[in-house]
Amino acid sequence: MTVRRDFQEPARCRPDLVIGREELFSAAREQFGRGGSVLLHGPAGIGKSTVLRALAAEYGESARTVLRCSATESESHLPFLALADLLGLVLDEVAGKMPDAQRTALESALTGRGESTLQRDGLALRLAVLSALRALAAEGPVLVVADDLQWLDPASAELLGFAARRLGDFPVQVLCAARTEGQEYDDHLRASPPDTLALRLGPLTRTQVSALLDERGYPALLRSTVRDIHRTSGGNPLFALELGRALAESPTPPRPGEPLPVPTSLRALVLHRLDMLSADARHTLLVASAGARPTTALLHAAGRVHAEAETAQAAALGLLATEPEGPAVRFAHPLISAALYAEASAQERRDAHAALSTAASDPIERARHLALATTGTDPEAAARLAEAAALARDRGAPSVAASLGLLAARHTPADGEPGPEERRLTAAEDAITGGETDLARDIARDVLTRATAPADRVRAWIVVINAAGQAMGKVDAVFPQALADADDDPRLLALVRYQLAWRALLVEGEMDRGREEAAHAARLAAKAADRRTELLALAFQAHMETLMGHPDAPATIKRAMREPQDPRVAVDHNGIGAVRFRWLIMSDQLAEARTTVMTLLREVRRRGIAESEVHYVRFLAETELRSGHCGRALDLARESLRLARDAGIGEGASAMLTSLAEAAGGETGRALALAREAAERAEEDGDVMYLSRALGALGHAHLVAGDAAEAVRALRRVRELEIGIGITDPARGRWQGDLAEALVRIGETGEAQDVIDVTRVQALRLGRESVLAVLDRAEALVRAARGERDAALAQLTSVQDRLAKLGYGLEEARAAFALARLRTGRPGPTSYDEAARLFRRCRAMPWLRQVEEAAASDPAEPPAPPVLDALAGLAAMERQVAALVMEGATNREIAGRLFISVKTVEATLTRVYRKLGIRSRVDIVRLAAGSPRR
C-alpha cells in the first residue's frame, strides 16, 4: 500500500529538471540502491527541498508506503506533531499489530487524547514507533520523507531516532533534509538510520544559475547581469531567483558599476542584525560594501578612523567574516553587502564612493568611485574613466574596460572630443572581447538610434555583426545598411568587406567567394593604411586557401606574417597565429602545433580575450586528440565547452570537438548527444562550415558505437557539403577514413574504394602523410573484405608503423586493432594484447572496451582481465577518478582536472575501493595492467 495521494506532495519535481545537482543525484541513487538512507543539508535557499521532492518522486514509486512530514519553526514547540504527520494516516493499519500498551501510548500521542509524554510513556512510545515501522515494512518497502529536520519537535526527533537505529534489515529508508550553515550535520543524523549518507548541497555555478533563470522565466537577462546575479547570490538558487525577479520588475536597470537591486524579501533575510549596529559601524560597512576589495587600511584612508572596532562588532553579529591571515574585510555572504548598499540613500552611496575615490590605491578603482560619486556630465571624470578603461584593457580585463567605458560615455558632454557615442562603441568592442556579446549588441543598437557620422554607424554595424557570432545569417539585413553608410570610404568599406567574406563562408558556403571578398578587403585596407583590418583579411584569405588546397596558401601566410604586426590581431583566433596553427596541424607537425597554440592561449588569457580563449582551448584539445592523449584531450574539450557555455561563444564548435573527445576517451552516448547538439546549432545558425564538422563528429561517434549504417548516413552528407563548399584538403575534417571503414562494414566495398581513391589524389598532392596512412588502413579493410588477407595484413603492418612515427597514437592503436581482428582465430602473435596496450596508453576507453569484447569472442585469445567490466559498475565520476588513477595521477592532480575538491576525490576513491573489492590505488593500477590483486 502507498499512502493516499492526497497526503503526498501535490506537485512532482522531476530530477531532470533540477539544475546543477547531477553528481548529488548520482550519489543519492547509489545510496538508495544499496538500501541506505540520505540526509540532504546546506544553508537556507540552497535547494534542499527541491532536491528532496525530486528524489521522493523518483523513489516513492517503488515504495509500498511513503510517510511524509515537513516541520516549521512556528510549530516546533508542539510535541509529537511531526510524528502525527508521519503516522497519522496509517495508524489504523498498524494499531492492531502492536501490544496494547504501545498502541495506547501511540494513539494518545498522535491524537492528543490523554496526556502522553516521553517522561511518562517513554519506553512504550519508543517501542510503538519501532513496531509501527516494522509492521509497515513487513508488507513492503517504506520510504520516510522528512523536510526541515532542524524544526522537528524534540519528542518526534527522539522517537524517530530510537526507531531508526533499531530497524536492522527491515526495508525502511529515510530521505530527509536539514538546514546547516557549515558541515555540522551530526545532530540531524540521530533521527536517521546508522547507514545514512550525508550530502551537502553547494552553490551553483554561473552557468547553472543562468540555466535556472532561463527555466524560471528570466531568459532575457544580459550575461553581465547573470554574472552579477551569480556573484551577489553566492550561487544560492533562491537568492538568484529573487534577484532575477527584482530585476525583471525594476523599471530602470542599475547603472554600470552599481550593485543589483535587492528585493525586500532578501533584505529582511540578511539585514535583521543591522539594527544592532551603531550608526558609525553601519556607515563603515556601507563604505566596505561600496569597495571592490575592502581592507581596514582602505577604510582608514576613507575616513573611518575606528574601522577595526566597528568591523569587529559586525563580525560578532555574523555580518562580516574577517580574514584571519590578512587585512581584508569580507562579508559573510555577498548578499549582505548588496542589501546594505541597496538600503542606503542615494546621497549616502555617493558620499561613500567620494571617500573611496581618493582612498583607493588602484587608478581603475579610483576612477570607478569618482564616476559613481558624480552626477551629470563631467569632462574630467569622463577622461579619467576612459584612461582607466584603457588600463583595464591592457591588464586583460575587457569586461571591466567595457563597464568603465560606459561610465565614461555617461559623463561625456555631447560636444566632447571624443564624443559619448565613440566611447560607447569602444565599450561595445571591449564587451565583445570579454565575451559579453549581448551587452555589446545592445550598446551598438542604442548608438545606431542617434549616430549620424558614417564612421560611427559602420563601427556600430560591425559590432552587431560580430555579436551574432556564427549565426551571421540572422543579421543579413545589416550588410546593405553598412555598405550604404560606408559609401566610398576605403577604410570603412574594408571593414564591411571583411565581414562579407565571413558571410560568404558561413551563410552561403562559398569558400572561393569568401576568399575573393577577403582579398578585396585586404586591398582596400592597405589603401587606407588600416594595417589591422588588412592583417585580418589576409589571415582569412590564407585560411580559405589552406582548406581549398590552393597553391597560393603559403605565400599568403607569409604576407600576413610580415611586419608591421598588430599585437591583438597576432593572437586573435581569426588572426595569422591561428591560421598558422591550422596549417601545422593539417601538415602533421603536431609538436610545433602544440607549442604554437599554447603560446597563443597564454597570451589571450593574459589579455582577457574570452572568445579566443574558448577557441584555443579547443585547438589544444584537438592537438592532444590527434596525438592520442585522449584523457588530456577530453579534459581540455570539456573545459572548452564549459567556457563556451559560460560566455555563450562557440558552443557548437566546442560541442563538436567534445563529441570527438568523448568518442575517443569518454562515453559514446555523450559523444552522440554532443554531436547532435552541434549539428542542430549549426543548422539553426545557418553555418554550413561547422555543420560539416558536426556531422563528421556524429558519423565518427556512430562508428565507435558500432552503428555503421548511421555513420555512413552522416558522413555521406559531410562529403556532399564539403564538395559544395569547395573544401578539398582532407586533413581539415579527416572523416574520409571513417566513411570508407563504415562502408566496408555494411558491405559497400566499391564505394569505400572510390572514397579512398578520390581522397588519396588530394592527400598526395598536399603531402598529408597521416591522411594517406589512414586511407591505407581503410583500404586494407577493403582488401580483407575481398579475401586478400595477406595483402591486407602487410598493408596494416606498414600503416601502424607509419602512424607511430608521425605521432598519431590513437590512429596507431586503431591500426593495431584492425590487424588483430584480421588475425582472429590464429594462435601465437595474433593476440589483442598490442591493441589493448596502445588503447590503454591513449586512455581510449570506448576503443579498449571494443578490444575486450573482440578478444572475448576469439577462441584463440586467453581471457582478458575484466578491467572495463569492473569499471562499468561505477558511477560516471567514479570511472573518471579510477581512470586517472590508472594513469598515475595524484589526488590533487585528479581534483584539478575534474574541477572537484581533494576531499571529493578521496571520498570517491573510497567508494571505488568498496565497489571493486580492493584496498588501495595500487590495486587499481594492477587492474589496469591485468595483474591479479595480491
Side-chain angles (χ1 to χ4, degrees):
M1 169 194 117
T2 299
V3 171
R4 291 193 302 272
R5 292 297 176 189
D6 58 358
F7 185 60
Q8 296 188 349
E9 292 288 336
R12 290 299 180 92
C13 183
R14 287 168 42 196
D16 58 324
L17 296 181
V18 179
I19 293 168
R21 304 300 184 191
E22 294 80 6
E23 189 174 339
L24 184 142
F25 269 98
S26 177
R29 287 182 180 118
E30 288 180 35
Q31 178 72 356
F32 281 128
R34 292 192 290 266
S37 298
V38 171
L39 165 67
L40 306 169
H41 69 102
I46 203 66
K48 303 179 297 298
S49 296
T50 300
V51 174
L52 179 133
R53 286 193 296 271
L55 286 170
E58 183 172 336
Y59 286 93
E61 297 293 340
S62 59
R64 177 184 178 273
T65 306
V66 180
L67 306 175
R68 297 178 186 268
C69 72
S70 183
T72 62
E73 184 177 11
S74 62
E75 298 172 340
S76 60
H77 65 287
L78 300 174
F80 308 123
L81 184 62
L83 193 66
D85 286 343
L86 287 171
L87 299 179
L89 292 181
V90 295
L91 181 59
D92 290 343
E93 180 185 354
V94 300
K97 301 176 183 179
M98 60 181 67
D100 291 343
Q102 294 180 22
R103 182 178 64 253
T104 300
L106 184 59
E107 288 176 344
S108 177
L110 297 187
T111 61
R113 293 191 294 271
E115 297 182 3
S116 181
T117 65
L118 275 180
Q119 287 73 27
R120 193 182 73 182
D121 303 313
L123 182 59
L125 272 173
R126 288 174 171 85
L127 293 174
V129 174
L130 178 60
S131 297
L133 291 174
R134 284 178 172 174
L136 292 170
E139 301 298 325
V142 176
L143 178 65
V144 178
V145 182
D147 200 2
D148 283 317
L149 280 188
Q150 75 277 3
W151 306 131
L152 214 65
D153 64 273
S156 296
E158 169 63 26
L159 293 170
L160 284 175
F162 176 88
R165 292 189 293 272
R166 290 164 176 80
L167 284 167
D169 294 332
F170 281 86
V172 177
Q173 294 175 277
V174 177
L175 170 61
C176 51
R179 181 186 300 180
T180 57
E181 293 304 323
Q183 293 290 341
E184 305 80 12
Y185 54 85
D186 291 347
D187 288 347
H188 301 299
L189 290 175
R190 291 182 302 185
S192 304
D195 62 346
T196 299
L197 173 66
L199 296 173
R200 180 170 178 78
L201 278 74
L204 301 181
T205 66
R206 186 172 69 177
T207 303
Q208 291 163 352
V209 165
S210 178
L212 176 67
L213 291 166
D214 285 350
E215 197 234 331
R216 297 299 178 88
Y218 308 114
L221 297 173
L222 297 176
R223 291 187 182 278
S224 55
T225 303
V226 173
R227 179 190 62 210
D228 291 342
I229 289 176
H230 177 255
R231 183 182 65 247
T232 303
S233 68
N236 184 297
L238 173 64
F239 296 172
L241 288 171
E242 286 295 295
L243 290 167
R245 181 181 60 78
L247 278 167
E249 295 174 354
S250 175
T252 56
R255 294 168 55 189
E258 286 186 345
L260 298 173
V262 179
T264 304
S265 59
L266 292 186
R267 294 189 202 184
L269 184 65
V270 299
L271 295 181
H272 61 279
R273 287 163 287 184
L274 272 182
D275 292 338
M276 302 173 68
L277 285 175
S278 66
D280 285 342
R282 182 165 180 154
H283 189 74
T284 295
L285 287 196
L286 174 62
V287 175
S289 72
R293 293 173 296 277
T295 63
T296 50
L298 177 66
L299 294 174
H300 276 299
R304 310 312 301 163
V305 294
H306 301 298
E308 286 90 348
E310 289 160 353
T311 54
Q313 182 188 359
L317 291 171
L319 295 165
L320 290 182
T322 305
E323 299 290 346
E325 298 179 358
V329 175
R330 183 171 60 85
F331 284 88
H333 192 281
L335 190 62
I336 297 175
S337 172
L340 178 64
Y341 189 92
E343 282 283 296
S345 68
Q347 186 58 52
E348 287 173 329
R349 296 180 201 171
R350 285 195 293 271
D351 290 344
H353 287 297
L356 290 168
S357 69
T358 57
S361 59
D362 185 85
I364 292 177
E365 275 301 292
R366 288 199 301 271
R368 184 179 75 87
H369 289 301
L370 176 63
L372 295 174
T374 304
T375 57
T377 59
D378 186 324
E380 181 184 351
R384 284 181 58 183
L385 283 160
E387 292 170 3
L391 182 57
R393 195 177 304 120
D394 290 341
R395 287 182 180 177
S399 294
V400 175
S403 177
L404 292 167
L406 288 175
L407 286 171
R410 181 183 292 272
H411 293 293
T412 300
D415 58 352
E417 185 58 42
E421 305 306 343
E422 186 174 345
R423 281 180 166 154
R424 286 190 181 92
L425 288 170
T426 300
E429 289 161 355
D430 285 328
I432 287 281
T433 302
E436 307 283 358
T437 53
D438 45 4
L439 174 62
R441 181 182 55 252
D442 288 352
I443 295 170
R445 293 287 188 187
D446 179 56
V447 168
L448 284 165
T449 62
R450 294 184 302 274
T452 57
D456 287 345
R457 292 188 63 79
V458 170
R459 195 174 166 192
W461 290 126
I462 298 301
V463 170
V464 172
I465 293 168
N466 284 331
Q470 304 292 113
M472 295 188 79
K474 295 181 179 179
V475 292
D476 259 353
V478 165
F479 290 97
Q481 299 176 74
L483 283 170
D485 284 329
D487 198 18
D488 59 354
D489 186 321
R491 183 178 66 85
L492 300 180
L493 281 171
L495 292 170
V496 181
R497 288 290 171 191
Y498 173 65
Q499 297 296 336
L500 282 168
W502 278 103
R503 184 190 176 282
L505 175 68
L506 297 178
V507 180
E508 303 295 337
E510 297 182 12
M511 189 170 290
D512 193 51
R513 183 179 164 196
R515 172 182 172 273
E516 291 173 1
E517 287 282 10
H520 188 189
R523 290 191 297 270
L524 288 166
K527 181 179 178 180
D530 180 359
R531 182 62 172 162
R532 181 180 185 278
T533 303
E534 182 187 8
L535 289 170
L536 284 169
L538 287 171
F540 184 93
Q541 182 183 344
H543 184 38
M544 294 304 95
E545 290 172 351
T546 298
L547 296 179
M548 294 167 65
H550 197 287
D552 289 349
T556 307
I557 290 175
K558 287 181 180 178
R559 283 176 61 201
M561 295 185 71
R562 288 176 192 158
E563 296 296 335
Q565 286 290 317
D566 182 304
R568 290 183 63 82
V569 174
V571 301
D572 189 272
H573 63 281
N574 290 321
I576 195 59
V579 174
R580 183 170 179 272
F581 161 78
R582 294 186 184 100
W583 175 270
L584 290 168
I585 201 167
M586 290 169 67
S587 302
D588 300 325
Q589 301 178 60
L590 297 180
E592 192 172 351
R594 181 184 292 106
T595 301
T596 298
V597 73
M598 288 180 71
T599 301
L600 291 167
L601 180 58
R602 280 195 297 270
E603 184 60 19
V604 298
R605 280 176 169 165
R606 187 186 72 79
R607 292 175 176 269
I609 307 176
E611 185 172 7
S612 293
E613 181 182 3
V614 170
H615 290 288
Y616 287 146
V617 172
R618 189 178 79 249
F619 289 174
L620 184 55
E622 183 179 357
T623 308
E624 299 297 348
L625 192 58
R626 299 265 178 260
S627 303
H629 304 150
C630 300
R632 173 70 173 151
L634 186 56
D635 290 342
L636 286 165
R638 287 172 175 170
E639 180 186 354
S640 171
L641 187 57
R642 178 182 60 79
L643 290 171
R645 286 181 168 156
D646 278 351
I649 294 171
E651 293 182 67
S654 292
M656 175 274 298
L657 198 281
T658 308
S659 169
L660 292 172
E662 289 283 355
E667 299 178 8
T668 52
R670 182 159 171 75
L672 288 164
L674 286 167
R676 291 188 183 106
E677 176 191 335
E680 287 168 5
R681 284 184 177 276
E683 294 267 24
E684 182 182 339
D685 293 344
D687 183 351
V688 292
M689 283 288 287
Y690 267 108
L691 178 58
S692 72
R693 293 296 306 272
L695 290 172
L698 181 60
H700 179 74
H702 277 304
L703 184 67
V704 177
D707 192 341
E710 285 300 318
V712 167
R713 188 192 307 275
L715 296 174
R716 278 175 175 162
R717 190 174 175 205
V718 176
R719 180 174 58 188
E720 294 169 3
L721 283 169
E722 296 204 349
I723 290 172
I725 296 169
I727 297 174
T728 60
D729 193 331
R732 186 252 185 177
R734 298 175 183 266
W735 49 267
Q736 297 85 353
D738 282 346
L739 176 56
E741 182 175 336
L743 285 165
V744 170
R745 291 191 191 181
I746 65 171
E748 298 288 348
T749 55
E751 185 182 347
Q753 189 63 55
D754 286 343
V755 170
I756 293 164
D757 292 341
V758 170
T759 308
R760 184 177 281 141
V761 171
Q762 296 294 344
L764 283 168
R765 181 174 69 83
L766 298 169
R768 303 305 191 216
E769 293 298 328
S770 63
V771 174
L772 289 167
V774 169
L775 291 173
D776 283 352
R777 184 183 68 207
E779 188 171 54
L781 299 179
V782 173
R783 288 180 169 177
R786 291 173 175 172
E788 303 169 23
R789 178 182 286 267
D790 291 340
L793 287 170
Q795 193 168 19
L796 280 173
T797 302
S798 170
V799 165
Q800 183 180 344
D801 182 59
R802 287 155 58 197
L803 288 168
K805 288 177 180 177
L806 288 168
Y808 284 76
L810 183 58
E811 299 296 350
E812 175 196 356
R814 288 180 64 179
F817 187 22
L819 199 57
R821 276 177 159 164
L822 279 185
R823 291 171 171 165
T824 296
R826 298 183 179 184
T830 65
S831 172
Y832 284 87
D833 285 351
E834 173 69 0
R837 181 185 68 80
L838 292 173
F839 281 131
R840 193 174 291 119
R841 183 185 68 183
C842 294
R843 216 187 104 191
M845 305 305 281
W847 288 103
L848 187 55
R849 187 173 290 109
Q850 290 189 41
V851 172
E852 292 189 349
E853 289 171 357
S857 64
D858 184 356
E861 191 73 16
V867 180
L868 291 177
D869 286 345
L871 294 186
L874 302 178
M877 177 63 70
E878 293 167 350
R879 283 200 302 275
Q880 292 180 57
V881 170
L884 288 170
V885 169
M886 291 176 183
E887 290 186 6
T890 65
N891 286 2
R892 188 168 295 280
E893 290 169 341
I894 295 170
R897 289 169 71 172
L898 298 181
F899 305 104
I900 58 178
S901 68
V902 174
K903 285 187 176 180
T904 300
V905 174
E906 293 168 351
T908 303
L909 277 176
T910 299
R911 294 197 299 270
V912 170
Y913 298 156
R914 183 174 64 249
K915 288 185 177 182
L916 298 184
I918 58 179
R919 297 179 179 178
S920 69
R921 297 168 61 94
V922 174
D923 290 334
I924 295 181
V925 176
R926 284 176 180 152
L927 270 177
S931 302
R933 181 165 58 90
R934 295 172 185 172

